[in-house]
Amino acid sequence: MGIFDDFTKSNDNGAFDDKQKENVESKIQDDLSQIEKGFGKTVKIAVIGRVSTGKSSLINALFNVKKGENKKVQVGAISGVTTKIKEIKWSNNVTIIDSPGLGDVIRENSQETRNILNDIDVGILVVAGSVDDSQKAHYDELKQYAKKVFVVMNKIDEYDKKPKALESVAIQWHSSLGLADDEKLFLTCTDGYDPDYDPEAEMDIRGVDELRESVLSYLKEYGKDLLLAREMMSKSQLVKRELYWVLGAVGAAAFIPGSALYITGIQAGAIMRIHYIYTNEILSKKSAVAAIPLFASQSIGSNAFLWVKSVLPPTGILDVAAAGVAISVTFAMLSAVNWVYENGYNLDDKSELKDQFGKITKLLKGIKADEWLKIIKNPTDLKALIDKFIK
Ligand SMILES: Nc1nc2c(ncn2[C@@H]2O[C@H](COP(=O)(O)OP(=O)(O)OP(=O)(O)O)[C@@H](O)[C@H]2O)c(=O)[nH]1
Ligand SMILES: [Mg+2]
């Protein structure tokens, strides 16, 4: 018996045959399993680049290390097997490899070096300045060992007075490394971490947010993004990102067949992730799905899953009005979940959850269905709304 049995029963409106239902269910089960398993995993990122291209600075900027807060020293830098490679244990789940290249390690080929090279999730090749053809070999080696490689051209401030030159150097790097046409070269500046940097001067950080988002969204496919993201931002920022992503996903899912089930899956996934953000522990997908009826019964008052059914027209595809309901219920649900964790409660504190859900639902009443769809399509509006409910 699947964890969605109750949901499928209540969704039995003739839109789906058994086979389709099974397919949707197993897809959602897989997604949730991915999230569940992801929390137990580790993330390994290899930052490769010539001496002084700004690798250490980029690592600090990616992790949002503040000026003066010398995290580079706080993190335990373990000297690697060669003098050139450093393996930094950033947290229990995150390892950073910092090295000019992987070549020496690859050639050494001992058990220890193989461990270093195993399971690299993300490679970041950092280049700077004018094109140097030797980097192509480093890029190719990195691609061999990392599941995904991002290429960064750092120190773009050196071209501030020559914007045309920046453009042409970027094009030259792109072709010298043999990047595919659609492969992005991230342009960054990470100036300000040097202890000699003028303490009065602002740091000059550019392009790093975009790189961070790309890395996180890649890791999200493997359910691993939170392992890294939690080292980079506060709990409330993490929850805000979660809501931002989830509301968009619910809005999109609302118009595909089987939407109610997909939405339930998305909600359960988000509950698991919020639980992890606050507790650093894994909530089983079963417990997450089991938490949802509490809100559903609140929304309608009687039958636990009536609300889902009520918003499902016979085609199994939600219409605009129903999509609005799905989005606002999801918003209230996750804001309430966030509230209980933030205030030291948990999912077992049902009366707090219900109270909070009720209060937020009331506050959201004024927003009409078509307004919801507009809001989730507009990043600024959506962020502003989330900011109102998540401190
Ligand atoms: N102008 C400018 N300088 C930068 C930038 N990023 C880093 N730097 C400076 O470049 C120097 C080297 O930076 P690091 O971050 O130590 O570079 P690295 O690649 O880790 O160097 P090694 O560990 O020695 O290989 C430092 O003085 C940094 O402050 C940048 O974007 N622009
Ligand atoms: Mg360094």
PDB file of all heavy atoms in Angstrom, residues 49-58 72 86 98 100 154-158 188-194 197 204, ligand 1:
ATOM      1  N   GLY A  49      42.125  25.876 -10.328  1.00  0.00           N
ATOM      2  CA  GLY A  49      42.556  27.039 -11.093  1.00  0.00           C
ATOM      3  C   GLY A  49      43.988  27.441 -10.746  1.00  0.00           C
ATOM      4  O   GLY A  49      44.471  27.159  -9.647  1.00  0.00           O
ATOM      5  N   ARG A  50      44.598  28.097 -11.692  1.00  0.00           N
ATOM      6  CA  ARG A  50      45.983  28.531 -11.543  1.00  0.00           C
ATOM      7  C   ARG A  50      46.164  29.345 -10.257  1.00  0.00           C
ATOM      8  O   ARG A  50      45.219  29.962  -9.768  1.00  0.00           O
ATOM      9  CB  ARG A  50      46.338  29.415 -12.739  1.00  0.00           C
ATOM     10  CG  ARG A  50      47.564  28.997 -13.518  1.00  0.00           C
ATOM     11  CD  ARG A  50      47.773  29.951 -14.677  1.00  0.00           C
ATOM     12  NE  ARG A  50      47.464  31.329 -14.274  1.00  0.00           N
ATOM     13  CZ  ARG A  50      47.058  32.277 -15.113  1.00  0.00           C
ATOM     14  NH1 ARG A  50      46.895  32.016 -16.392  1.00  0.00           N
ATOM     15  NH2 ARG A  50      46.821  33.486 -14.671  1.00  0.00           N
ATOM     16  N   VAL A  51      47.370  29.343  -9.760  1.00  0.00           N
ATOM     17  CA  VAL A  51      47.700  30.104  -8.549  1.00  0.00           C
ATOM     18  C   VAL A  51      47.222  31.552  -8.688  1.00  0.00           C
ATOM     19  O   VAL A  51      47.382  32.169  -9.747  1.00  0.00           O
ATOM     20  CB  VAL A  51      49.232  30.067  -8.309  1.00  0.00           C
ATOM     21  CG1 VAL A  51      49.629  31.043  -7.209  1.00  0.00           C
ATOM     22  CG2 VAL A  51      49.664  28.663  -7.944  1.00  0.00           C
ATOM     23  N   SER A  52      46.568  32.004  -7.617  1.00  0.00           N
ATOM     24  CA  SER A  52      46.188  33.407  -7.522  1.00  0.00           C
ATOM     25  C   SER A  52      45.093  33.879  -8.483  1.00  0.00           C
ATOM     26  O   SER A  52      44.929  35.074  -8.712  1.00  0.00           O
ATOM     27  CB  SER A  52      47.438  34.293  -7.690  1.00  0.00           C
ATOM     28  OG  SER A  52      47.246  35.468  -6.957  1.00  0.00           O
ATOM     29  N   THR A  53      44.312  32.937  -8.996  1.00  0.00           N
ATOM     30  CA  THR A  53      43.167  33.348  -9.812  1.00  0.00           C
ATOM     31  C   THR A  53      42.005  33.797  -8.923  1.00  0.00           C
ATOM     32  O   THR A  53      41.027  34.357  -9.422  1.00  0.00           O
ATOM     33  CB  THR A  53      42.671  32.192 -10.715  1.00  0.00           C
ATOM     34  OG1 THR A  53      42.625  31.005  -9.924  1.00  0.00           O
ATOM     35  CG2 THR A  53      43.591  31.980 -11.897  1.00  0.00           C
ATOM     36  N   GLY A  54      42.129  33.507  -7.618  1.00  0.00           N
ATOM     37  CA  GLY A  54      41.069  33.915  -6.692  1.00  0.00           C
ATOM     38  C   GLY A  54      40.198  32.760  -6.218  1.00  0.00           C
ATOM     39  O   GLY A  54      39.055  32.965  -5.832  1.00  0.00           O
ATOM     40  N   LYS A  55      40.752  31.542  -6.221  1.00  0.00           N
ATOM     41  CA  LYS A  55      39.981  30.363  -5.792  1.00  0.00           C
ATOM     42  C   LYS A  55      39.491  30.510  -4.354  1.00  0.00           C
ATOM     43  O   LYS A  55      38.307  30.321  -4.059  1.00  0.00           O
ATOM     44  CB  LYS A  55      40.823  29.085  -5.916  1.00  0.00           C
ATOM     45  CG  LYS A  55      41.293  28.775  -7.319  1.00  0.00           C
ATOM     46  CD  LYS A  55      42.097  27.495  -7.371  1.00  0.00           C
ATOM     47  CE  LYS A  55      43.437  27.574  -6.624  1.00  0.00           C
ATOM     48  NZ  LYS A  55      44.345  28.596  -7.179  1.00  0.00           N
ATOM     49  N   SER A  56      40.435  30.848  -3.451  1.00  0.00           N
ATOM     50  CA  SER A  56      40.037  30.962  -2.039  1.00  0.00           C
ATOM     51  C   SER A  56      39.025  32.081  -1.853  1.00  0.00           C
ATOM     52  O   SER A  56      38.069  31.943  -1.079  1.00  0.00           O
ATOM     53  CB  SER A  56      41.261  31.231  -1.158  1.00  0.00           C
ATOM     54  OG  SER A  56      42.202  30.198  -1.328  1.00  0.00           O
ATOM     55  N   SER A  57      39.229  33.170  -2.559  1.00  0.00           N
ATOM     56  CA  SER A  57      38.274  34.285  -2.462  1.00  0.00           C
ATOM     57  C   SER A  57      36.907  33.860  -2.969  1.00  0.00           C
ATOM     58  O   SER A  57      35.877  34.169  -2.354  1.00  0.00           O
ATOM     59  CB  SER A  57      38.775  35.478  -3.282  1.00  0.00           C
ATOM     60  OG  SER A  57      40.049  35.878  -2.843  1.00  0.00           O
ATOM     61  N   LEU A  58      36.892  33.146  -4.069  1.00  0.00           N
ATOM     62  CA  LEU A  58      35.616  32.699  -4.635  1.00  0.00           C
ATOM     63  C   LEU A  58      34.901  31.755  -3.671  1.00  0.00           C
ATOM     64  O   LEU A  58      33.675  31.844  -3.490  1.00  0.00           O
ATOM     65  CB  LEU A  58      35.838  32.011  -5.991  1.00  0.00           C
ATOM     66  CG  LEU A  58      34.559  31.540  -6.685  1.00  0.00           C
ATOM     67  CD1 LEU A  58      33.729  32.723  -7.177  1.00  0.00           C
ATOM     68  CD2 LEU A  58      34.867  30.618  -7.867  1.00  0.00           C
ATOM     69  N   LYS A  72      38.253  31.274   6.272  1.00  0.00           N
ATOM     70  CA  LYS A  72      39.290  30.487   5.598  1.00  0.00           C
ATOM     71  C   LYS A  72      40.172  29.810   6.633  1.00  0.00           C
ATOM     72  O   LYS A  72      40.668  28.723   6.421  1.00  0.00           O
ATOM     73  CB  LYS A  72      40.178  31.403   4.743  1.00  0.00           C
ATOM     74  CG  LYS A  72      39.615  31.690   3.369  1.00  0.00           C
ATOM     75  CD  LYS A  72      40.639  32.400   2.513  1.00  0.00           C
ATOM     76  CE  LYS A  72      40.635  33.885   2.778  1.00  0.00           C
ATOM     77  NZ  LYS A  72      41.537  34.631   1.892  1.00  0.00           N
ATOM     78  N   LYS A  86      44.418  20.742  -1.564  1.00  0.00           N
ATOM     79  CA  LYS A  86      43.902  20.896  -0.208  1.00  0.00           C
ATOM     80  C   LYS A  86      42.496  20.336  -0.162  1.00  0.00           C
ATOM     81  O   LYS A  86      41.683  20.604  -1.049  1.00  0.00           O
ATOM     82  CB  LYS A  86      43.852  22.377   0.176  1.00  0.00           C
ATOM     83  CG  LYS A  86      45.037  22.817   1.014  1.00  0.00           C
ATOM     84  CD  LYS A  86      44.879  24.265   1.459  1.00  0.00           C
ATOM     85  CE  LYS A  86      45.224  25.197   0.331  1.00  0.00           C
ATOM     86  NZ  LYS A  86      45.084  26.609   0.547  1.00  0.00           N
ATOM     87  N   ASP A  98      40.577  22.170  -3.119  1.00  0.00           N
ATOM     88  CA  ASP A  98      41.141  23.429  -3.595  1.00  0.00           C
ATOM     89  C   ASP A  98      42.511  23.104  -4.181  1.00  0.00           C
ATOM     90  O   ASP A  98      43.393  22.624  -3.466  1.00  0.00           O
ATOM     91  CB  ASP A  98      41.238  24.360  -2.372  1.00  0.00           C
ATOM     92  CG  ASP A  98      41.883  25.706  -2.697  1.00  0.00           C
ATOM     93  OD1 ASP A  98      42.439  25.871  -3.795  1.00  0.00           O
ATOM     94  OD2 ASP A  98      41.833  26.592  -1.818  1.00  0.00           O
ATOM     95  N   PRO A 100      45.395  23.671  -7.822  1.00  0.00           N
ATOM     96  CA  PRO A 100      45.659  24.222  -9.159  1.00  0.00           C
ATOM     97  C   PRO A 100      45.145  23.301 -10.262  1.00  0.00           C
ATOM     98  O   PRO A 100      44.761  23.758 -11.335  1.00  0.00           O
ATOM     99  CB  PRO A 100      47.188  24.300  -9.206  1.00  0.00           C
ATOM    100  CG  PRO A 100      47.647  24.259  -7.800  1.00  0.00           C
ATOM    101  CD  PRO A 100      46.623  23.452  -7.046  1.00  0.00           C
ATOM    102  N   ASN A 154      37.248  34.955 -13.256  1.00  0.00           N
ATOM    103  CA  ASN A 154      37.237  35.842 -12.087  1.00  0.00           C
ATOM    104  C   ASN A 154      38.065  37.105 -12.369  1.00  0.00           C
ATOM    105  O   ASN A 154      38.718  37.215 -13.409  1.00  0.00           O
ATOM    106  CB  ASN A 154      37.794  35.076 -10.879  1.00  0.00           C
ATOM    107  CG  ASN A 154      37.512  35.778  -9.566  1.00  0.00           C
ATOM    108  OD1 ASN A 154      36.532  36.517  -9.424  1.00  0.00           O
ATOM    109  ND2 ASN A 154      38.398  35.569  -8.593  1.00  0.00           N
ATOM    110  N   LYS A 155      38.024  38.021 -11.440  1.00  0.00           N
ATOM    111  CA  LYS A 155      38.774  39.280 -11.522  1.00  0.00           C
ATOM    112  C   LYS A 155      38.336  40.146 -12.703  1.00  0.00           C
ATOM    113  O   LYS A 155      39.155  40.789 -13.356  1.00  0.00           O
ATOM    114  CB  LYS A 155      40.292  39.006 -11.612  1.00  0.00           C
ATOM    115  CG  LYS A 155      40.845  38.194 -10.433  1.00  0.00           C
ATOM    116  CD  LYS A 155      42.351  38.330 -10.310  1.00  0.00           C
ATOM    117  CE  LYS A 155      42.875  37.581  -9.099  1.00  0.00           C
ATOM    118  NZ  LYS A 155      44.296  37.786  -8.829  1.00  0.00           N
ATOM    119  N   ILE A 156      37.058  40.155 -12.968  1.00  0.00           N
ATOM    120  CA  ILE A 156      36.577  40.950 -14.108  1.00  0.00           C
ATOM    121  C   ILE A 156      36.773  42.447 -13.882  1.00  0.00           C
ATOM    122  O   ILE A 156      36.753  43.234 -14.820  1.00  0.00           O
ATOM    123  CB  ILE A 156      35.087  40.668 -14.446  1.00  0.00           C
ATOM    124  CG1 ILE A 156      34.197  40.911 -13.224  1.00  0.00           C
ATOM    125  CG2 ILE A 156      34.895  39.274 -14.993  1.00  0.00           C
ATOM    126  CD1 ILE A 156      32.717  40.975 -13.575  1.00  0.00           C
ATOM    127  N   ASP A 157      36.985  42.821 -12.605  1.00  0.00           N
ATOM    128  CA  ASP A 157      37.214  44.251 -12.316  1.00  0.00           C
ATOM    129  C   ASP A 157      38.459  44.774 -13.035  1.00  0.00           C
ATOM    130  O   ASP A 157      38.576  45.971 -13.289  1.00  0.00           O
ATOM    131  CB  ASP A 157      37.354  44.477 -10.807  1.00  0.00           C
ATOM    132  CG  ASP A 157      38.440  43.607 -10.195  1.00  0.00           C
ATOM    133  OD1 ASP A 157      38.373  42.368 -10.375  1.00  0.00           O
ATOM    134  OD2 ASP A 157      39.364  44.155  -9.563  1.00  0.00           O
ATOM    135  N   GLU A 158      39.359  43.851 -13.372  1.00  0.00           N
ATOM    136  CA  GLU A 158      40.559  44.290 -14.094  1.00  0.00           C
ATOM    137  C   GLU A 158      40.218  44.882 -15.461  1.00  0.00           C
ATOM    138  O   GLU A 158      41.046  45.542 -16.080  1.00  0.00           O
ATOM    139  CB  GLU A 158      41.530  43.114 -14.251  1.00  0.00           C
ATOM    140  CG  GLU A 158      42.190  42.748 -12.919  1.00  0.00           C
ATOM    141  CD  GLU A 158      43.080  41.514 -13.008  1.00  0.00           C
ATOM    142  OE1 GLU A 158      43.070  40.831 -14.058  1.00  0.00           O
ATOM    143  OE2 GLU A 158      43.782  41.244 -12.008  1.00  0.00           O
ATOM    144  N   THR A 188      32.956  36.787 -12.784  1.00  0.00           N
ATOM    145  CA  THR A 188      32.855  37.157 -11.367  1.00  0.00           C
ATOM    146  C   THR A 188      33.963  38.106 -10.926  1.00  0.00           C
ATOM    147  O   THR A 188      34.993  38.254 -11.594  1.00  0.00           O
ATOM    148  CB  THR A 188      32.952  35.915 -10.444  1.00  0.00           C
ATOM    149  OG1 THR A 188      34.225  35.301 -10.627  1.00  0.00           O
ATOM    150  CG2 THR A 188      31.853  34.915 -10.704  1.00  0.00           C
ATOM    151  N   CYS A 189      33.708  38.731  -9.783  1.00  0.00           N
ATOM    152  CA  CYS A 189      34.715  39.514  -9.093  1.00  0.00           C
ATOM    153  C   CYS A 189      34.587  39.152  -7.624  1.00  0.00           C
ATOM    154  O   CYS A 189      33.470  39.089  -7.097  1.00  0.00           O
ATOM    155  CB  CYS A 189      34.450  40.998  -9.318  1.00  0.00           C
ATOM    156  SG  CYS A 189      35.642  42.041  -8.468  1.00  0.00           S
ATOM    157  N   THR A 190      35.697  38.864  -6.980  1.00  0.00           N
ATOM    158  CA  THR A 190      35.656  38.433  -5.576  1.00  0.00           C
ATOM    159  C   THR A 190      36.718  39.164  -4.771  1.00  0.00           C
ATOM    160  O   THR A 190      37.429  38.574  -3.964  1.00  0.00           O
ATOM    161  CB  THR A 190      35.883  36.904  -5.456  1.00  0.00           C
ATOM    162  OG1 THR A 190      37.157  36.583  -6.065  1.00  0.00           O
ATOM    163  CG2 THR A 190      34.799  36.118  -6.151  1.00  0.00           C
ATOM    164  N   ASP A 191      36.807  40.451  -5.008  1.00  0.00           N
ATOM    165  CA  ASP A 191      37.879  41.235  -4.395  1.00  0.00           C
ATOM    166  C   ASP A 191      37.477  41.737  -3.004  1.00  0.00           C
ATOM    167  O   ASP A 191      36.381  42.260  -2.839  1.00  0.00           O
ATOM    168  CB  ASP A 191      38.199  42.437  -5.306  1.00  0.00           C
ATOM    169  CG  ASP A 191      39.609  42.961  -5.060  1.00  0.00           C
ATOM    170  OD1 ASP A 191      40.403  42.258  -4.398  1.00  0.00           O
ATOM    171  OD2 ASP A 191      39.894  44.075  -5.538  1.00  0.00           O
ATOM    172  N   GLY A 192      38.378  41.566  -2.044  1.00  0.00           N
ATOM    173  CA  GLY A 192      38.093  42.107  -0.711  1.00  0.00           C
ATOM    174  C   GLY A 192      38.439  41.179   0.442  1.00  0.00           C
ATOM    175  O   GLY A 192      38.390  41.581   1.602  1.00  0.00           O
ATOM    176  N   TYR A 193      38.777  39.939   0.154  1.00  0.00           N
ATOM    177  CA  TYR A 193      39.095  39.001   1.235  1.00  0.00           C
ATOM    178  C   TYR A 193      40.553  39.050   1.673  1.00  0.00           C
ATOM    179  O   TYR A 193      40.922  38.497   2.698  1.00  0.00           O
ATOM    180  CB  TYR A 193      38.729  37.571   0.824  1.00  0.00           C
ATOM    181  CG  TYR A 193      37.232  37.338   0.822  1.00  0.00           C
ATOM    182  CD1 TYR A 193      36.528  37.257  -0.372  1.00  0.00           C
ATOM    183  CD2 TYR A 193      36.536  37.255   2.020  1.00  0.00           C
ATOM    184  CE1 TYR A 193      35.155  37.070  -0.366  1.00  0.00           C
ATOM    185  CE2 TYR A 193      35.159  37.071   2.033  1.00  0.00           C
ATOM    186  CZ  TYR A 193      34.474  36.974   0.831  1.00  0.00           C
ATOM    187  OH  TYR A 193      33.112  36.802   0.831  1.00  0.00           O
ATOM    188  N   ASP A 194      41.399  39.694   0.869  1.00  0.00           N
ATOM    189  CA  ASP A 194      42.814  39.788   1.208  1.00  0.00           C
ATOM    190  C   ASP A 194      42.976  40.562   2.514  1.00  0.00           C
ATOM    191  O   ASP A 194      42.396  41.631   2.670  1.00  0.00           O
ATOM    192  CB  ASP A 194      43.535  40.521   0.062  1.00  0.00           C
ATOM    193  CG  ASP A 194      45.029  40.306   0.114  1.00  0.00           C
ATOM    194  OD1 ASP A 194      45.618  40.548   1.188  1.00  0.00           O
ATOM    195  OD2 ASP A 194      45.602  39.899  -0.909  1.00  0.00           O
ATOM    196  N   TYR A 197      43.609  44.124   2.233  1.00  0.00           N
ATOM    197  CA  TYR A 197      42.589  44.970   1.593  1.00  0.00           C
ATOM    198  C   TYR A 197      42.205  46.099   2.545  1.00  0.00           C
ATOM    199  O   TYR A 197      42.043  45.887   3.754  1.00  0.00           O
ATOM    200  CB  TYR A 197      41.374  44.102   1.277  1.00  0.00           C
ATOM    201  CG  TYR A 197      40.385  44.666   0.286  1.00  0.00           C
ATOM    202  CD1 TYR A 197      40.669  44.698  -1.079  1.00  0.00           C
ATOM    203  CD2 TYR A 197      39.138  45.123   0.703  1.00  0.00           C
ATOM    204  CE1 TYR A 197      39.733  45.164  -1.991  1.00  0.00           C
ATOM    205  CE2 TYR A 197      38.199  45.592  -0.203  1.00  0.00           C
ATOM    206  CZ  TYR A 197      38.509  45.618  -1.555  1.00  0.00           C
ATOM    207  OH  TYR A 197      37.575  46.073  -2.450  1.00  0.00           O
ATOM    208  N   ASP A 204      34.265  44.048  -3.309  1.00  0.00           N
ATOM    209  CA  ASP A 204      33.727  44.096  -4.665  1.00  0.00           C
ATOM    210  C   ASP A 204      33.372  42.667  -5.091  1.00  0.00           C
ATOM    211  O   ASP A 204      34.241  41.909  -5.522  1.00  0.00           O
ATOM    212  CB  ASP A 204      34.788  44.716  -5.592  1.00  0.00           C
ATOM    213  CG  ASP A 204      34.230  45.024  -6.972  1.00  0.00           C
ATOM    214  OD1 ASP A 204      33.064  44.666  -7.231  1.00  0.00           O
ATOM    215  OD2 ASP A 204      34.975  45.612  -7.794  1.00  0.00           O
TER     216      ASP A 204
HETATM  217  N1  LIG B   1      41.318  42.532  -8.526  1.00  0.00           N
HETATM  218  C1  LIG B   1      40.872  41.412  -8.015  1.00  0.00           C
HETATM  219  N2  LIG B   1      41.604  40.726  -7.127  1.00  0.00           N
HETATM  220  C2  LIG B   1      41.117  39.581  -6.639  1.00  0.00           C
HETATM  221  C3  LIG B   1      39.857  39.078  -7.011  1.00  0.00           C
HETATM  222  N3  LIG B   1      39.653  37.912  -6.362  1.00  0.00           N
HETATM  223  C4  LIG B   1      40.719  37.717  -5.593  1.00  0.00           C
HETATM  224  N4  LIG B   1      41.620  38.712  -5.744  1.00  0.00           N
HETATM  225  C5  LIG B   1      42.919  38.869  -5.128  1.00  0.00           C
HETATM  226  O1  LIG B   1      43.823  37.976  -5.750  1.00  0.00           O
HETATM  227  C6  LIG B   1      44.753  37.458  -4.810  1.00  0.00           C
HETATM  228  C7  LIG B   1      44.701  35.949  -4.806  1.00  0.00           C
HETATM  229  O2  LIG B   1      43.436  35.559  -4.336  1.00  0.00           O
HETATM  230  P1  LIG B   1      43.194  34.136  -3.698  1.00  0.00           P
HETATM  231  O3  LIG B   1      41.753  34.044  -3.402  1.00  0.00           O
HETATM  232  O4  LIG B   1      44.133  33.876  -2.596  1.00  0.00           O
HETATM  233  O5  LIG B   1      43.585  33.236  -4.950  1.00  0.00           O
HETATM  234  P2  LIG B   1      43.888  31.676  -4.991  1.00  0.00           P
HETATM  235  O6  LIG B   1      43.561  31.213  -6.348  1.00  0.00           O
HETATM  236  O7  LIG B   1      43.232  30.989  -3.876  1.00  0.00           O
HETATM  237  O8  LIG B   1      45.455  31.675  -4.788  1.00  0.00           O
HETATM  238  P3  LIG B   1      46.375  30.429  -4.360  1.00  0.00           P
HETATM  239  O9  LIG B   1      45.689  29.720  -3.234  1.00  0.00           O
HETATM  240  O10 LIG B   1      47.653  31.047  -3.952  1.00  0.00           O
HETATM  241  O11 LIG B   1      46.495  29.587  -5.556  1.00  0.00           O
HETATM  242  C8  LIG B   1      44.376  38.085  -3.474  1.00  0.00           C
HETATM  243  O12 LIG B   1      45.126  39.228  -3.287  1.00  0.00           O
HETATM  244  C9  LIG B   1      42.922  38.453  -3.672  1.00  0.00           C
HETATM  245  O13 LIG B   1      42.499  39.511  -2.834  1.00  0.00           O
HETATM  246  C10 LIG B   1      39.110  39.825  -7.974  1.00  0.00           C
HETATM  247  O14 LIG B   1      37.993  39.470  -8.381  1.00  0.00           O
HETATM  248  N5  LIG B   1      39.649  40.971  -8.433  1.00  0.00           N
END
